[in-house]
Amino acid sequence: MYRRAVICGAVLLAALTGLLIRILFIQTVDYEKYRAKVAGQTTYETSVDAQRGDIFDANGVTLATNVTTYRVFISPRDIKAAQDELIDQSMNYAELIAQKLSEVLDVSYDFVIEQASLERYLDRTIARSVSKEDAENVRALISEYGLSRMIYLEATTTRYYPYGSLACHVLGFTNGTGQGLYGLEAYYQEQLTGTEGKYITATDAKGRSLQSGYSQYVEPQDGYNLCTSLDVYIQSVLEEQLKAAYENSEAQNRAAGIVMDVRDGSIKAIAVYPPYDLNDPRTLDEQSQEKLDLSGLSQESEEYADLYGQILTEMWSDKAITEPYIPGSTFKIITASMGLEEKQVTVDENFWCPGYYTVKGITIHCHETHGHGHLTFAQGIQQSCNPVLMQVGLRVGTDTFYDYFSSFGYLEKTGIDLPGEAEGIFYQKDNFTELNLATSSFGQNFKVTPIEQITAVAAVANGGYLVTPHLVSSMTDGAGNTVWSFDGRVKRQVVSQETCKTIANILEEGVSGNGGAKNAYVLGYRVAAKTGTSEKIGDKEDAYICSCVAFAPADDPQYAILILVDEPTKGNLYGSTVAAPYVSHVLEAILPYLGVEAEYTDSELEKLTTSVPSCIYWSVGQVGAYLDTYGLSYEIIGDGSYVTSQVPEAGSSLERSSGT
């Protein structure tokens, strides 16, 4: 017995010793580990959302911000408890709530009933993004019927775009959780979002709050504000003219435009037509809805849902940076720059255009099938002569042409701060033949993106420097402090300033004279422009892209613009008629606004003003016919047959561009 007692005692002592050592180990070596576990099991953490940063235009106009909306939710468990407490069971709280909420919110009675039947839940969402007005109506019915334990309102923030569809393809939008999906909202998601905060509260086993060292508040860090180079006025002008170009030509595949400051690459406007509503991005625009309706698919079918998703994605995509296109004759600016820089041609050198040029036994036609005849190099650019540019390109040679093509940025993304930028489609250098060179020299059989094209042309405009196109100029914190600024990177110099000045003069003379880009003319401004008409390959038969690129003033380039219309179907399908007039309208509106002063020639001054004729005692019909010959608009006030007075008075000088 004694021996057995000693053994048992020894075992107990050993166990106790081991336990004490283990406790000591836990209290010292593993202290932090188990302290964290305890904290995790006895604390309750609640996240606190950070405020998403705003987006502004160059003048501080708000383009994207946050507004307070409300989430309406019910507590099915509390509805059941309240129902059980009633003596008179003829009152049905679930039915009452369903009826009243369906009257004040955009929800169905059946939906609310279904949610109220889920009695094990304390929180079932009935509606999100509820307006302040509707929230007040919900509060009123809660008060009227004593439903405070059953219906709840939670204030939330919703992304709001004050201008609706303006700059929609640039700004993009967010989903219900605040994740940026397109545009600047997606590209700068991390900077805009900020860091959420949190409440950490210590609780006991029953979930009651405790006063302890674990209770703390971590303040959220609001997102940064984006200060962009966009200008609301310029953006609206561009969108207005894109709409006109698209509708007047009855285009089938959208239109796009870009306005850029050639000196630093800052984007003043990017637009795609048709637009969509940023505050309701899942509703199709009229043209997209028509396309969906014409499919003939049943709305309940999977095929319909797939087509809807495809059309929606196309509507959201920014054509100006995501869709490569064949640039056509606008690329002749680049080929001409190569030829002059390499001294392979002079401005006054004579060429002969019979309407075609033969390369490696293949006859390649000019757009002027009867030929331009004798013309100089400068005239070849102004008249957009394919044989002239082919000969210049062949003189430059395949290797050198390819190297310039790369230097102008066509073989890489521009680096614009928008998601989804595409790359152009060009030949591999080892497979770039003289026949490829011949067609490439006048902008056919390869693709570039609109942003690549205007960036390359901007390099010709600004003296030869390839800049980085960008939208965000700086970021600020909530206190207005600048936390980041764009550094204005210049990638490289591609051609000399002398070459650029020569090209600008040639293009301007084509606009002010009788060149193919004469419809881009703006009274009082020297505009350098080139139009392009390219035939789509492998897409549709007889489908074209009509475009025009320009910069001004030609003698001191500051701003460039590109407008392209994809698949126009009405009128003369040339860049000179489908795109150039609208380039002119945009420049006419924005150049004075941007502080670029007009400088009129004597002939322009004659066009600028006219003397108002005397129309007193004339018949209304005579006045209309007479003023029409002066190019003046007018308004007849009153119901009489004859004019008794007029404003302005006879002999006054009136600017023709001023209208009435």
Side-chain angles (χ1 to χ4, degrees):
M1 292 291 294
Y2 175 76
R3 182 180 178 187
R4 190 178 303 152
V6 171
I7 294 173
C8 289
V11 170
L12 289 174
L13 181 60
L16 181 60
T17 303
L19 181 60
L20 290 173
I21 293 173
R22 180 58 181 159
I23 292 173
L24 180 63
F25 191 81
I26 290 173
Q27 290 289 326
T28 55
V29 178
D30 283 347
Y31 173 77
E32 290 299 328
K33 173 183 174 181
Y34 288 100
R35 180 178 180 274
K37 280 191 174 185
V38 171
Q41 294 169 355
T42 62
T43 59
Y44 179 76
E45 185 174 300
T46 304
S47 63
V48 181
D49 291 338
Q51 186 84 345
R52 191 174 181 86
D54 291 342
I55 303 177
F56 302 103
D57 87 337
N59 300 309
V61 176
T62 302
L63 300 175
T65 188
N66 309 292
V67 294
T68 299
T69 56
Y70 296 84
R71 180 175 75 97
V72 177
F73 64 98
I74 62 174
S75 174
R77 187 188 297 180
D78 288 323
I79 294 174
K80 173 68 166 54
Q83 187 70 42
D84 292 342
E85 292 173 3
L86 285 176
I87 298 175
D88 182 5
Q89 287 296 316
S90 63
M91 159 71 78
N92 189 306
Y93 276 124
E95 292 179 357
L96 173 67
I97 290 170
Q99 178 187 342
K100 295 303 177 181
L101 287 182
S102 64
E103 290 175 358
V104 299
L105 300 175
D106 186 21
V107 294
S108 69
Y109 174 92
D110 291 341
F111 172 74
V112 182
I113 283 290
E114 179 185 357
Q115 297 303 308
S117 68
L118 304 174
E119 297 173 353
R120 62 193 179 91
Y121 291 98
L122 287 169
D123 182 338
R124 299 300 295 177
T125 298
I126 300 301
R128 298 182 184 274
S129 300
V130 174
S131 68
K132 182 179 180 181
E133 180 182 359
D134 287 342
E136 289 299 325
N137 292 332
V138 173
R139 284 195 182 95
L141 75 88
I142 291 173
S143 175
E144 181 178 355
Y145 295 97
L147 304 173
S148 59
R149 289 173 49 203
M150 293 167 260
I151 303 177
Y152 297 88
L153 285 163
E154 178 185 47
T156 61
T157 58
T158 298
R159 200 64 165 165
Y160 177 68
Y161 305 91
Y163 290 89
S165 64
L166 188 77
C168 57
H169 292 91
V170 184
L171 296 175
F173 56 92
T174 63
N175 62 14
T177 63
Q179 175 70 39
L181 298 183
Y182 281 84
L184 294 174
E185 293 278 28
Y187 192 89
Y188 288 100
Q189 167 67 14
E190 182 179 348
Q191 293 84 352
L192 285 166
T193 302
T195 305
E196 70 176 18
K198 53 190 173 183
Y199 287 105
I200 303 174
T201 306
T203 59
D204 63 15
K206 294 184 178 181
R208 294 174 297 194
S209 179
L210 295 174
Q211 295 297 323
S212 74
Y214 296 127
S215 297
Q216 59 178 306
Y217 170 62
V218 179
E219 187 174 357
Q221 300 297 315
D222 291 344
Y224 293 143
N225 301 314
L226 304 185
C227 304
T228 73
S229 56
L230 291 172
D231 187 293
V232 165
Y233 174 72
I234 299 173
Q235 183 74 29
S236 63
V237 169
L238 179 62
E239 292 190 13
E240 178 185 7
Q241 293 306 316
L242 279 184
K243 179 177 186 291
Y246 177 90
E247 293 181 345
N248 291 341
S249 66
E250 296 183 1
Q252 302 299 302
N253 195 19
R254 303 200 294 172
I258 306 172
V259 177
M260 175 191 285
D261 188 325
V262 304
R263 296 164 293 185
D264 61 7
S266 59
I267 302 296
K268 298 300 179 183
I270 292 186
V272 177
Y273 189 87
Y276 64 91
D277 186 353
L278 288 168
N279 295 311
D280 187 18
R282 296 191 177 277
T283 296
L284 297 178
D285 61 65
E286 182 179 344
Q287 293 80 0
S288 298
Q289 185 63 54
E290 182 180 359
K291 181 178 178 181
L292 183 61
D293 294 341
L294 290 174
S295 69
L297 297 171
S298 169
Q299 294 188 19
E300 287 74 33
S301 68
E302 185 177 339
E303 291 80 5
Y304 183 93
D306 290 342
L307 181 58
Y308 167 74
Q310 177 186 333
I311 293 175
L312 200 61
T313 301
E314 291 173 356
M315 183 182 77
W316 291 336
S317 69
D318 189 342
K319 188 180 185 74
I321 68 164
T322 64
E323 294 184 23
Y325 76 110
I326 298 174
S329 293
T330 61
F331 186 79
K332 290 173 180 174
I333 296 173
I334 307 303
T335 302
S337 300
M338 298 179 194
L340 288 172
E341 188 71 13
E342 291 297 310
K343 302 190 180 338
Q344 295 296 327
V345 66
T346 61
V347 173
D348 298 323
E349 183 177 345
N350 290 307
F351 290 82
W352 167 255
C353 172
Y356 62 88
Y357 192 71
T358 302
V359 180
K360 297 294 184 179
I362 303 296
T363 298
I364 303 174
H365 293 280
C366 185
H367 73 90
E368 185 63 60
T369 56
H370 298 294
H372 289 98
H374 290 288
L375 71 175
T376 65
F377 171 66
Q379 292 169 336
I381 299 172
Q382 293 160 0
Q383 299 302 321
S384 203
C385 178
N386 290 349
V388 170
L389 273 298
M390 279 191 276
Q391 292 177 65
V392 172
L394 290 168
R395 291 180 190 179
V396 171
T398 55
D399 288 346
T400 303
F401 185 98
Y402 201 97
D403 290 341
Y404 271 108
F405 191 88
S406 177
S407 293
F408 271 108
Y410 289 115
L411 298 181
E412 61 187 5
K413 294 180 180 180
T414 65
I416 188 171
D417 46 347
L418 285 174
E421 181 183 5
E423 294 185 39
I425 303 171
F426 200 65
Y427 307 93
Q428 294 295 321
K429 190 170 186 178
D430 292 343
N431 298 324
F432 189 52
T433 67
E434 288 192 347
L435 187 59
N436 300 146
L437 172 56
T439 55
S440 297
S441 65
F442 57 90
Q444 283 291 149
N445 294 357
F446 68 91
K447 293 184 177 182
V448 300
T449 61
I451 190 64
E452 283 179 327
Q453 182 65 359
I454 196 172
T455 303
V457 171
V460 176
N462 67 21
Y465 298 95
L466 189 70
V467 295
T468 302
H470 62 280
L471 286 149
V472 174
S473 303
S474 63
M475 297 183 200
T476 61
D477 61 20
N481 302 309
T482 299
V483 296
W484 177 88
S485 295
F486 183 76
D487 61 9
R489 293 185 299 274
V490 172
K491 294 180 179 178
R492 52 186 167 269
Q493 184 170 11
V494 185
V495 291
S496 66
Q497 292 188 12
E498 181 182 359
T499 292
C500 295
K501 288 180 180 179
T502 302
I503 293 294
N505 288 334
I506 293 173
L507 295 175
E508 190 280 327
E509 289 170 2
V511 173
S512 59
N514 194 35
K518 62 184 178 182
N519 286 337
Y521 172 78
V522 179
L523 189 67
Y525 293 95
R526 298 187 65 214
V527 177
K530 186 75 188 74
T531 60
T533 307
S534 55
E535 185 173 1
K536 300 182 77 170
I537 299 174
D539 296 309
K540 297 180 181 179
E541 293 184 4
D542 300 323
Y544 299 90
I545 296 178
C546 297
S547 62
C548 179
V549 64
F551 55 86
D555 52 349
D556 181 24
Q558 298 177 42
Y559 302 98
I561 177 174
L562 169 66
I563 285 180
L564 67 88
V565 181
D566 199 344
E567 297 181 23
T569 60
K570 181 181 178 181
N572 295 320
L573 304 184
Y574 296 102
S576 58
T577 54
V578 174
Y582 305 97
V583 165
S584 172
H585 297 331
V586 173
L587 291 176
E588 182 180 24
I590 71 172
L591 288 175
Y593 169 79
L594 288 167
V596 182
E597 294 185 7
E599 297 180 3
Y600 300 102
T601 63
D602 291 340
S603 61
E604 286 178 327
L605 286 172
E606 292 178 5
K607 298 176 184 177
L608 186 63
T609 60
T610 187
S611 178
V612 177
S614 174
C615 300
I616 303 298
Y617 306 120
W618 287 31
S619 70
V620 171
Q622 285 177 307
V623 167
Y626 188 76
L627 293 181
D628 284 342
T629 64
Y630 276 80
L632 297 174
S633 58
Y634 56 91
E635 180 182 3
I636 303 295
I637 300 175
D639 300 324
S641 300
Y642 294 91
V643 176
T644 58
S645 63
Q646 69 178 57
V647 176
E649 63 183 16
S652 301
S653 293
L654 185 67
E655 291 188 5
R656 289 181 183 270
S657 62
S658 67
T660 304

